[in-house]
Amino acid sequence: MRERRRTGAGLVALAVGLPLLVAAIVMAVVFTGTGVVGRSPLHRAVDRYLEAVGGGGPAPAATPPAGTGSGCPGGAPDPADALRGIAPRFGHHIVSSTESGDSAAVNVDLVPAGGEPVAVLLELRRTGDRWDVCAVSTGRMAIDPF
């Protein structure tokens, strides 16, 4: 009789614990952006841009499709220069983002080598399938997660 109770308790623990474990993994993938669900084209573009600039290399060139202009307003300061003014080399973490039509705003934490994280707002424009970083400012934009 005792053997049956242990088996029954083990099955109950497994029946409750397994769905909780699966839910925790799904939440981690979605909210950390490490899985396909959390990796939008916008976030991939921001990652590529910040990895290039933060690593000391040139910013990816804005190359809109033939016959169209860049989505960024002309005459604006170079966003890569603004980022290098904050820190010559840095890592980054995307905090939140919002997009509307062909415009987007992305809150990012820049992590300078040996320094404290700096809150930065990137403003992007889309031309076709390509997102270009157009402006950088320090601070955050309030983004409603829902």
Side-chain angles (χ1 to χ4, degrees):
M1 195 63 139
R2 248 189 194 154
E3 190 62 38
R4 282 189 180 160
R5 285 187 188 164
R6 285 185 192 158
T7 304
L11 288 176
V12 169
L14 183 62
V16 171
L18 188 59
L20 289 174
L21 177 62
V22 170
I25 291 170
V26 169
M27 296 287 283
V29 168
V30 170
F31 288 117
T32 63
T34 58
V36 174
V37 175
R39 302 301 305 160
S40 70
L42 173 63
H43 287 193
R44 286 192 303 271
V46 168
D47 283 335
R48 278 192 304 272
Y49 186 88
L50 293 176
E51 286 166 5
V53 174
T63 53
T68 62
S70 171
C72 297
D78 183 4
D81 289 343
L83 289 166
R84 289 187 186 111
I86 296 168
R89 289 185 178 267
F90 54 84
H92 73 279
H93 171 73
I94 296 174
V95 175
S96 59
S97 65
T98 186
E99 64 181 273
S100 176
D102 290 335
S103 297
V106 180
N107 288 319
V108 176
D109 281 337
L110 294 187
V111 185
E116 293 294 315
V118 178
V120 173
L121 173 66
L122 303 178
E123 295 177 44
L124 294 91
R125 298 284 168 91
R126 180 174 46 202
T127 304
D129 292 336
R130 180 184 172 91
W131 284 103
D132 293 309
V133 177
C134 296
V136 173
S137 58
T138 55
R140 290 259 186 268
M141 171 186 258
I143 296 175
D144 187 0
F146 302 102

mmCIF file with all atom_site columns, all heavy atoms in Angstrom, residues 41-66:
data_model
loop_
_atom_site.group_PDB
_atom_site.id
_atom_site.type_symbol
_atom_site.label_atom_id
_atom_site.label_alt_id
_atom_site.label_comp_id
_atom_site.label_asym_id
_atom_site.label_entity_id
_atom_site.label_seq_id
_atom_site.pdbx_PDB_ins_code
_atom_site.Cartn_x
_atom_site.Cartn_y
_atom_site.Cartn_z
_atom_site.occupancy
_atom_site.B_iso_or_equiv
_atom_site.pdbx_formal_charge
_atom_site.auth_seq_id
_atom_site.auth_comp_id
_atom_site.auth_asym_id
_atom_site.auth_atom_id
_atom_site.pdbx_PDB_model_num
ATOM 1   N N   . PRO A 1 41 ? 12.692 41.379 -36.851 1.00 0.00 ? 41 PRO A N   1
ATOM 2   C CA  . PRO A 1 41 ? 13.640 42.018 -37.773 1.00 0.00 ? 41 PRO A CA  1
ATOM 3   C C   . PRO A 1 41 ? 14.177 43.342 -37.207 1.00 0.00 ? 41 PRO A C   1
ATOM 4   O O   . PRO A 1 41 ? 15.339 43.682 -37.411 1.00 0.00 ? 41 PRO A O   1
ATOM 5   C CB  . PRO A 1 41 ? 12.817 42.253 -39.032 1.00 0.00 ? 41 PRO A CB  1
ATOM 6   C CG  . PRO A 1 41 ? 11.742 41.216 -38.983 1.00 0.00 ? 41 PRO A CG  1
ATOM 7   C CD  . PRO A 1 41 ? 11.430 41.039 -37.512 1.00 0.00 ? 41 PRO A CD  1
ATOM 8   N N   . LEU A 1 42 ? 13.333 44.058 -36.473 1.00 0.00 ? 42 LEU A N   1
ATOM 9   C CA  . LEU A 1 42 ? 13.765 45.306 -35.842 1.00 0.00 ? 42 LEU A CA  1
ATOM 10  C C   . LEU A 1 42 ? 14.886 45.039 -34.849 1.00 0.00 ? 42 LEU A C   1
ATOM 11  O O   . LEU A 1 42 ? 15.934 45.696 -34.881 1.00 0.00 ? 42 LEU A O   1
ATOM 12  C CB  . LEU A 1 42 ? 12.577 45.979 -35.143 1.00 0.00 ? 42 LEU A CB  1
ATOM 13  C CG  . LEU A 1 42 ? 12.886 47.196 -34.290 1.00 0.00 ? 42 LEU A CG  1
ATOM 14  C CD1 . LEU A 1 42 ? 13.455 48.333 -35.147 1.00 0.00 ? 42 LEU A CD1 1
ATOM 15  C CD2 . LEU A 1 42 ? 11.641 47.648 -33.542 1.00 0.00 ? 42 LEU A CD2 1
ATOM 16  N N   . HIS A 1 43 ? 14.718 44.073 -33.974 1.00 0.00 ? 43 HIS A N   1
ATOM 17  C CA  . HIS A 1 43 ? 15.742 43.762 -32.965 1.00 0.00 ? 43 HIS A CA  1
ATOM 18  C C   . HIS A 1 43 ? 17.017 43.229 -33.608 1.00 0.00 ? 43 HIS A C   1
ATOM 19  O O   . HIS A 1 43 ? 18.117 43.551 -33.163 1.00 0.00 ? 43 HIS A O   1
ATOM 20  C CB  . HIS A 1 43 ? 15.199 42.784 -31.937 1.00 0.00 ? 43 HIS A CB  1
ATOM 21  C CG  . HIS A 1 43 ? 14.215 43.411 -31.006 1.00 0.00 ? 43 HIS A CG  1
ATOM 22  N ND1 . HIS A 1 43 ? 13.793 42.793 -29.857 1.00 0.00 ? 43 HIS A ND1 1
ATOM 23  C CD2 . HIS A 1 43 ? 13.560 44.602 -31.051 1.00 0.00 ? 43 HIS A CD2 1
ATOM 24  C CE1 . HIS A 1 43 ? 12.923 43.578 -29.239 1.00 0.00 ? 43 HIS A CE1 1
ATOM 25  N NE2 . HIS A 1 43 ? 12.760 44.669 -29.951 1.00 0.00 ? 43 HIS A NE2 1
ATOM 26  N N   . ARG A 1 44 ? 16.865 42.436 -34.657 1.00 0.00 ? 44 ARG A N   1
ATOM 27  C CA  . ARG A 1 44 ? 18.062 41.935 -35.352 1.00 0.00 ? 44 ARG A CA  1
ATOM 28  C C   . ARG A 1 44 ? 18.834 43.089 -35.969 1.00 0.00 ? 44 ARG A C   1
ATOM 29  O O   . ARG A 1 44 ? 20.068 43.119 -35.919 1.00 0.00 ? 44 ARG A O   1
ATOM 30  C CB  . ARG A 1 44 ? 17.682 40.898 -36.401 1.00 0.00 ? 44 ARG A CB  1
ATOM 31  C CG  . ARG A 1 44 ? 17.285 39.558 -35.781 1.00 0.00 ? 44 ARG A CG  1
ATOM 32  C CD  . ARG A 1 44 ? 17.191 38.438 -36.817 1.00 0.00 ? 44 ARG A CD  1
ATOM 33  N NE  . ARG A 1 44 ? 16.270 38.704 -37.918 1.00 0.00 ? 44 ARG A NE  1
ATOM 34  C CZ  . ARG A 1 44 ? 14.981 38.398 -37.908 1.00 0.00 ? 44 ARG A CZ  1
ATOM 35  N NH1 . ARG A 1 44 ? 14.450 37.797 -36.860 1.00 0.00 ? 44 ARG A NH1 1
ATOM 36  N NH2 . ARG A 1 44 ? 14.224 38.666 -38.957 1.00 0.00 ? 44 ARG A NH2 1
ATOM 37  N N   . ALA A 1 45 ? 18.136 44.063 -36.547 1.00 0.00 ? 45 ALA A N   1
ATOM 38  C CA  . ALA A 1 45 ? 18.807 45.227 -37.144 1.00 0.00 ? 45 ALA A CA  1
ATOM 39  C C   . ALA A 1 45 ? 19.541 46.035 -36.066 1.00 0.00 ? 45 ALA A C   1
ATOM 40  O O   . ALA A 1 45 ? 20.675 46.478 -36.269 1.00 0.00 ? 45 ALA A O   1
ATOM 41  C CB  . ALA A 1 45 ? 17.797 46.109 -37.874 1.00 0.00 ? 45 ALA A CB  1
ATOM 42  N N   . VAL A 1 46 ? 18.894 46.231 -34.914 1.00 0.00 ? 46 VAL A N   1
ATOM 43  C CA  . VAL A 1 46 ? 19.528 46.968 -33.813 1.00 0.00 ? 46 VAL A CA  1
ATOM 44  C C   . VAL A 1 46 ? 20.757 46.210 -33.311 1.00 0.00 ? 46 VAL A C   1
ATOM 45  O O   . VAL A 1 46 ? 21.815 46.808 -33.094 1.00 0.00 ? 46 VAL A O   1
ATOM 46  C CB  . VAL A 1 46 ? 18.518 47.232 -32.669 1.00 0.00 ? 46 VAL A CB  1
ATOM 47  C CG1 . VAL A 1 46 ? 19.213 47.725 -31.413 1.00 0.00 ? 46 VAL A CG1 1
ATOM 48  C CG2 . VAL A 1 46 ? 17.451 48.212 -33.127 1.00 0.00 ? 46 VAL A CG2 1
ATOM 49  N N   . ASP A 1 47 ? 20.634 44.900 -33.146 1.00 0.00 ? 47 ASP A N   1
ATOM 50  C CA  . ASP A 1 47 ? 21.781 44.092 -32.704 1.00 0.00 ? 47 ASP A CA  1
ATOM 51  C C   . ASP A 1 47 ? 22.956 44.226 -33.674 1.00 0.00 ? 47 ASP A C   1
ATOM 52  O O   . ASP A 1 47 ? 24.090 44.461 -33.255 1.00 0.00 ? 47 ASP A O   1
ATOM 53  C CB  . ASP A 1 47 ? 21.403 42.615 -32.569 1.00 0.00 ? 47 ASP A CB  1
ATOM 54  C CG  . ASP A 1 47 ? 20.617 42.313 -31.304 1.00 0.00 ? 47 ASP A CG  1
ATOM 55  O OD1 . ASP A 1 47 ? 20.741 43.071 -30.314 1.00 0.00 ? 47 ASP A OD1 1
ATOM 56  O OD2 . ASP A 1 47 ? 19.888 41.303 -31.296 1.00 0.00 ? 47 ASP A OD2 1
ATOM 57  N N   . ARG A 1 48 ? 22.691 44.082 -34.967 1.00 0.00 ? 48 ARG A N   1
ATOM 58  C CA  . ARG A 1 48 ? 23.771 44.187 -35.966 1.00 0.00 ? 48 ARG A CA  1
ATOM 59  C C   . ARG A 1 48 ? 24.440 45.554 -35.904 1.00 0.00 ? 48 ARG A C   1
ATOM 60  O O   . ARG A 1 48 ? 25.666 45.668 -35.929 1.00 0.00 ? 48 ARG A O   1
ATOM 61  C CB  . ARG A 1 48 ? 23.230 43.942 -37.375 1.00 0.00 ? 48 ARG A CB  1
ATOM 62  C CG  . ARG A 1 48 ? 23.095 42.495 -37.742 1.00 0.00 ? 48 ARG A CG  1
ATOM 63  C CD  . ARG A 1 48 ? 22.831 42.296 -39.223 1.00 0.00 ? 48 ARG A CD  1
ATOM 64  N NE  . ARG A 1 48 ? 21.653 43.013 -39.711 1.00 0.00 ? 48 ARG A NE  1
ATOM 65  C CZ  . ARG A 1 48 ? 20.422 42.528 -39.693 1.00 0.00 ? 48 ARG A CZ  1
ATOM 66  N NH1 . ARG A 1 48 ? 20.187 41.327 -39.214 1.00 0.00 ? 48 ARG A NH1 1
ATOM 67  N NH2 . ARG A 1 48 ? 19.426 43.245 -40.149 1.00 0.00 ? 48 ARG A NH2 1
ATOM 68  N N   . TYR A 1 49 ? 23.628 46.591 -35.827 1.00 0.00 ? 49 TYR A N   1
ATOM 69  C CA  . TYR A 1 49 ? 24.151 47.956 -35.793 1.00 0.00 ? 49 TYR A CA  1
ATOM 70  C C   . TYR A 1 49 ? 25.015 48.185 -34.555 1.00 0.00 ? 49 TYR A C   1
ATOM 71  O O   . TYR A 1 49 ? 26.150 48.652 -34.651 1.00 0.00 ? 49 TYR A O   1
ATOM 72  C CB  . TYR A 1 49 ? 22.985 48.954 -35.829 1.00 0.00 ? 49 TYR A CB  1
ATOM 73  C CG  . TYR A 1 49 ? 23.433 50.384 -35.943 1.00 0.00 ? 49 TYR A CG  1
ATOM 74  C CD1 . TYR A 1 49 ? 23.649 50.952 -37.189 1.00 0.00 ? 49 TYR A CD1 1
ATOM 75  C CD2 . TYR A 1 49 ? 23.647 51.166 -34.821 1.00 0.00 ? 49 TYR A CD2 1
ATOM 76  C CE1 . TYR A 1 49 ? 24.062 52.268 -37.310 1.00 0.00 ? 49 TYR A CE1 1
ATOM 77  C CE2 . TYR A 1 49 ? 24.073 52.473 -34.927 1.00 0.00 ? 49 TYR A CE2 1
ATOM 78  C CZ  . TYR A 1 49 ? 24.275 53.020 -36.176 1.00 0.00 ? 49 TYR A CZ  1
ATOM 79  O OH  . TYR A 1 49 ? 24.698 54.325 -36.284 1.00 0.00 ? 49 TYR A OH  1
ATOM 80  N N   . LEU A 1 50 ? 24.484 47.840 -33.387 1.00 0.00 ? 50 LEU A N   1
ATOM 81  C CA  . LEU A 1 50 ? 25.215 48.097 -32.148 1.00 0.00 ? 50 LEU A CA  1
ATOM 82  C C   . LEU A 1 50 ? 26.433 47.193 -31.988 1.00 0.00 ? 50 LEU A C   1
ATOM 83  O O   . LEU A 1 50 ? 27.437 47.615 -31.407 1.00 0.00 ? 50 LEU A O   1
ATOM 84  C CB  . LEU A 1 50 ? 24.277 47.963 -30.948 1.00 0.00 ? 50 LEU A CB  1
ATOM 85  C CG  . LEU A 1 50 ? 23.190 49.037 -30.869 1.00 0.00 ? 50 LEU A CG  1
ATOM 86  C CD1 . LEU A 1 50 ? 22.258 48.768 -29.694 1.00 0.00 ? 50 LEU A CD1 1
ATOM 87  C CD2 . LEU A 1 50 ? 23.788 50.429 -30.782 1.00 0.00 ? 50 LEU A CD2 1
ATOM 88  N N   . GLU A 1 51 ? 26.379 45.976 -32.502 1.00 0.00 ? 51 GLU A N   1
ATOM 89  C CA  . GLU A 1 51 ? 27.554 45.101 -32.448 1.00 0.00 ? 51 GLU A CA  1
ATOM 90  C C   . GLU A 1 51 ? 28.686 45.690 -33.289 1.00 0.00 ? 51 GLU A C   1
ATOM 91  O O   . GLU A 1 51 ? 29.845 45.671 -32.878 1.00 0.00 ? 51 GLU A O   1
ATOM 92  C CB  . GLU A 1 51 ? 27.204 43.691 -32.902 1.00 0.00 ? 51 GLU A CB  1
ATOM 93  C CG  . GLU A 1 51 ? 26.411 42.934 -31.859 1.00 0.00 ? 51 GLU A CG  1
ATOM 94  C CD  . GLU A 1 51 ? 25.761 41.665 -32.386 1.00 0.00 ? 51 GLU A CD  1
ATOM 95  O OE1 . GLU A 1 51 ? 25.985 41.281 -33.559 1.00 0.00 ? 51 GLU A OE1 1
ATOM 96  O OE2 . GLU A 1 51 ? 25.004 41.049 -31.608 1.00 0.00 ? 51 GLU A OE2 1
ATOM 97  N N   . ALA A 1 52 ? 28.360 46.239 -34.461 1.00 0.00 ? 52 ALA A N   1
ATOM 98  C CA  . ALA A 1 52 ? 29.383 46.840 -35.320 1.00 0.00 ? 52 ALA A CA  1
ATOM 99  C C   . ALA A 1 52 ? 29.967 48.093 -34.674 1.00 0.00 ? 52 ALA A C   1
ATOM 100 O O   . ALA A 1 52 ? 31.181 48.234 -34.530 1.00 0.00 ? 52 ALA A O   1
ATOM 101 C CB  . ALA A 1 52 ? 28.794 47.174 -36.691 1.00 0.00 ? 52 ALA A CB  1
ATOM 102 N N   . VAL A 1 53 ? 29.116 49.023 -34.260 1.00 0.00 ? 53 VAL A N   1
ATOM 103 C CA  . VAL A 1 53 ? 29.573 50.285 -33.684 1.00 0.00 ? 53 VAL A CA  1
ATOM 104 C C   . VAL A 1 53 ? 30.237 50.055 -32.328 1.00 0.00 ? 53 VAL A C   1
ATOM 105 O O   . VAL A 1 53 ? 31.305 50.600 -32.053 1.00 0.00 ? 53 VAL A O   1
ATOM 106 C CB  . VAL A 1 53 ? 28.403 51.288 -33.556 1.00 0.00 ? 53 VAL A CB  1
ATOM 107 C CG1 . VAL A 1 53 ? 28.834 52.551 -32.825 1.00 0.00 ? 53 VAL A CG1 1
ATOM 108 C CG2 . VAL A 1 53 ? 27.858 51.636 -34.944 1.00 0.00 ? 53 VAL A CG2 1
ATOM 109 N N   . GLY A 1 54 ? 29.637 49.231 -31.483 1.00 0.00 ? 54 GLY A N   1
ATOM 110 C CA  . GLY A 1 54 ? 30.177 48.957 -30.155 1.00 0.00 ? 54 GLY A CA  1
ATOM 111 C C   . GLY A 1 54 ? 31.490 48.202 -30.186 1.00 0.00 ? 54 GLY A C   1
ATOM 112 O O   . GLY A 1 54 ? 32.288 48.290 -29.257 1.00 0.00 ? 54 GLY A O   1
ATOM 113 N N   . GLY A 1 55 ? 31.745 47.474 -31.271 1.00 0.00 ? 55 GLY A N   1
ATOM 114 C CA  . GLY A 1 55 ? 32.999 46.752 -31.424 1.00 0.00 ? 55 GLY A CA  1
ATOM 115 C C   . GLY A 1 55 ? 34.108 47.601 -32.009 1.00 0.00 ? 55 GLY A C   1
ATOM 116 O O   . GLY A 1 55 ? 35.208 47.123 -32.232 1.00 0.00 ? 55 GLY A O   1
ATOM 117 N N   . GLY A 1 56 ? 33.815 48.871 -32.291 1.00 0.00 ? 56 GLY A N   1
ATOM 118 C CA  . GLY A 1 56 ? 34.829 49.770 -32.837 1.00 0.00 ? 56 GLY A CA  1
ATOM 119 C C   . GLY A 1 56 ? 34.856 49.826 -34.350 1.00 0.00 ? 56 GLY A C   1
ATOM 120 O O   . GLY A 1 56 ? 35.671 50.530 -34.936 1.00 0.00 ? 56 GLY A O   1
ATOM 121 N N   . GLY A 1 57 ? 33.968 49.115 -35.000 1.00 0.00 ? 57 GLY A N   1
ATOM 122 C CA  . GLY A 1 57 ? 33.931 49.103 -36.460 1.00 0.00 ? 57 GLY A CA  1
ATOM 123 C C   . GLY A 1 57 ? 33.001 50.165 -37.008 1.00 0.00 ? 57 GLY A C   1
ATOM 124 O O   . GLY A 1 57 ? 32.357 50.908 -36.258 1.00 0.00 ? 57 GLY A O   1
ATOM 125 N N   . PRO A 1 58 ? 32.931 50.249 -38.336 1.00 0.00 ? 58 PRO A N   1
ATOM 126 C CA  . PRO A 1 58 ? 32.026 51.225 -38.943 1.00 0.00 ? 58 PRO A CA  1
ATOM 127 C C   . PRO A 1 58 ? 30.567 50.793 -38.794 1.00 0.00 ? 58 PRO A C   1
ATOM 128 O O   . PRO A 1 58 ? 30.264 49.602 -38.702 1.00 0.00 ? 58 PRO A O   1
ATOM 129 C CB  . PRO A 1 58 ? 32.436 51.227 -40.414 1.00 0.00 ? 58 PRO A CB  1
ATOM 130 C CG  . PRO A 1 58 ? 33.052 49.878 -40.638 1.00 0.00 ? 58 PRO A CG  1
ATOM 131 C CD  . PRO A 1 58 ? 33.674 49.478 -39.320 1.00 0.00 ? 58 PRO A CD  1
ATOM 132 N N   . ALA A 1 59 ? 29.695 51.763 -38.774 1.00 0.00 ? 59 ALA A N   1
ATOM 133 C CA  . ALA A 1 59 ? 28.261 51.473 -38.715 1.00 0.00 ? 59 ALA A CA  1
ATOM 134 C C   . ALA A 1 59 ? 27.826 50.880 -40.051 1.00 0.00 ? 59 ALA A C   1
ATOM 135 O O   . ALA A 1 59 ? 28.363 51.251 -41.096 1.00 0.00 ? 59 ALA A O   1
ATOM 136 C CB  . ALA A 1 59 ? 27.482 52.753 -38.447 1.00 0.00 ? 59 ALA A CB  1
ATOM 137 N N   . PRO A 1 60 ? 26.892 49.945 -40.017 1.00 0.00 ? 60 PRO A N   1
ATOM 138 C CA  . PRO A 1 60 ? 26.371 49.428 -41.291 1.00 0.00 ? 60 PRO A CA  1
ATOM 139 C C   . PRO A 1 60 ? 25.807 50.574 -42.123 1.00 0.00 ? 60 PRO A C   1
ATOM 140 O O   . PRO A 1 60 ? 25.104 51.445 -41.615 1.00 0.00 ? 60 PRO A O   1
ATOM 141 C CB  . PRO A 1 60 ? 25.259 48.470 -40.856 1.00 0.00 ? 60 PRO A CB  1
ATOM 142 C CG  . PRO A 1 60 ? 25.591 48.103 -39.444 1.00 0.00 ? 60 PRO A CG  1
ATOM 143 C CD  . PRO A 1 60 ? 26.277 49.311 -38.866 1.00 0.00 ? 60 PRO A CD  1
ATOM 144 N N   . ALA A 1 61 ? 26.159 50.600 -43.389 1.00 0.00 ? 61 ALA A N   1
ATOM 145 C CA  . ALA A 1 61 ? 25.720 51.678 -44.279 1.00 0.00 ? 61 ALA A CA  1
ATOM 146 C C   . ALA A 1 61 ? 24.241 51.548 -44.576 1.00 0.00 ? 61 ALA A C   1
ATOM 147 O O   . ALA A 1 61 ? 23.720 50.447 -44.716 1.00 0.00 ? 61 ALA A O   1
ATOM 148 C CB  . ALA A 1 61 ? 26.515 51.640 -45.581 1.00 0.00 ? 61 ALA A CB  1
ATOM 149 N N   . ALA A 1 62 ? 23.577 52.676 -44.652 1.00 0.00 ? 62 ALA A N   1
ATOM 150 C CA  . ALA A 1 62 ? 22.171 52.691 -45.031 1.00 0.00 ? 62 ALA A CA  1
ATOM 151 C C   . ALA A 1 62 ? 22.105 52.515 -46.542 1.00 0.00 ? 62 ALA A C   1
ATOM 152 O O   . ALA A 1 62 ? 22.548 53.363 -47.293 1.00 0.00 ? 62 ALA A O   1
ATOM 153 C CB  . ALA A 1 62 ? 21.514 54.004 -44.618 1.00 0.00 ? 62 ALA A CB  1
ATOM 154 N N   . THR A 1 63 ? 21.612 51.379 -46.979 1.00 0.00 ? 63 THR A N   1
ATOM 155 C CA  . THR A 1 63 ? 21.527 51.104 -48.411 1.00 0.00 ? 63 THR A CA  1
ATOM 156 C C   . THR A 1 63 ? 20.088 50.788 -48.776 1.00 0.00 ? 63 THR A C   1
ATOM 157 O O   . THR A 1 63 ? 19.690 49.630 -48.822 1.00 0.00 ? 63 THR A O   1
ATOM 158 C CB  . THR A 1 63 ? 22.432 49.917 -48.806 1.00 0.00 ? 63 THR A CB  1
ATOM 159 O OG1 . THR A 1 63 ? 22.102 48.815 -47.968 1.00 0.00 ? 63 THR A OG1 1
ATOM 160 C CG2 . THR A 1 63 ? 23.894 50.246 -48.666 1.00 0.00 ? 63 THR A CG2 1
ATOM 161 N N   . PRO A 1 64 ? 19.296 51.831 -48.991 1.00 0.00 ? 64 PRO A N   1
ATOM 162 C CA  . PRO A 1 64 ? 17.898 51.583 -49.357 1.00 0.00 ? 64 PRO A CA  1
ATOM 163 C C   . PRO A 1 64 ? 17.813 50.971 -50.754 1.00 0.00 ? 64 PRO A C   1
ATOM 164 O O   . PRO A 1 64 ? 18.765 51.048 -51.524 1.00 0.00 ? 64 PRO A O   1
ATOM 165 C CB  . PRO A 1 64 ? 17.271 52.973 -49.316 1.00 0.00 ? 64 PRO A CB  1
ATOM 166 C CG  . PRO A 1 64 ? 18.409 53.928 -49.469 1.00 0.00 ? 64 PRO A CG  1
ATOM 167 C CD  . PRO A 1 64 ? 19.622 53.242 -48.920 1.00 0.00 ? 64 PRO A CD  1
ATOM 168 N N   . PRO A 1 65 ? 16.680 50.368 -51.073 1.00 0.00 ? 65 PRO A N   1
ATOM 169 C CA  . PRO A 1 65 ? 16.510 49.782 -52.400 1.00 0.00 ? 65 PRO A CA  1
ATOM 170 C C   . PRO A 1 65 ? 16.719 50.825 -53.497 1.00 0.00 ? 65 PRO A C   1
ATOM 171 O O   . PRO A 1 65 ? 16.493 52.017 -53.282 1.00 0.00 ? 65 PRO A O   1
ATOM 172 C CB  . PRO A 1 65 ? 15.059 49.289 -52.388 1.00 0.00 ? 65 PRO A CB  1
ATOM 173 C CG  . PRO A 1 65 ? 14.688 49.186 -50.943 1.00 0.00 ? 65 PRO A CG  1
ATOM 174 C CD  . PRO A 1 65 ? 15.520 50.199 -50.224 1.00 0.00 ? 65 PRO A CD  1
ATOM 175 N N   . ALA A 1 66 ? 17.154 50.384 -54.659 1.00 0.00 ? 66 ALA A N   1
ATOM 176 C CA  . ALA A 1 66 ? 17.415 51.282 -55.781 1.00 0.00 ? 66 ALA A CA  1
ATOM 177 C C   . ALA A 1 66 ? 16.180 52.121 -56.098 1.00 0.00 ? 66 ALA A C   1
ATOM 178 O O   . ALA A 1 66 ? 15.059 51.635 -56.080 1.00 0.00 ? 66 ALA A O   1
ATOM 179 C CB  . ALA A 1 66 ? 17.817 50.466 -57.008 1.00 0.00 ? 66 ALA A CB  1
#
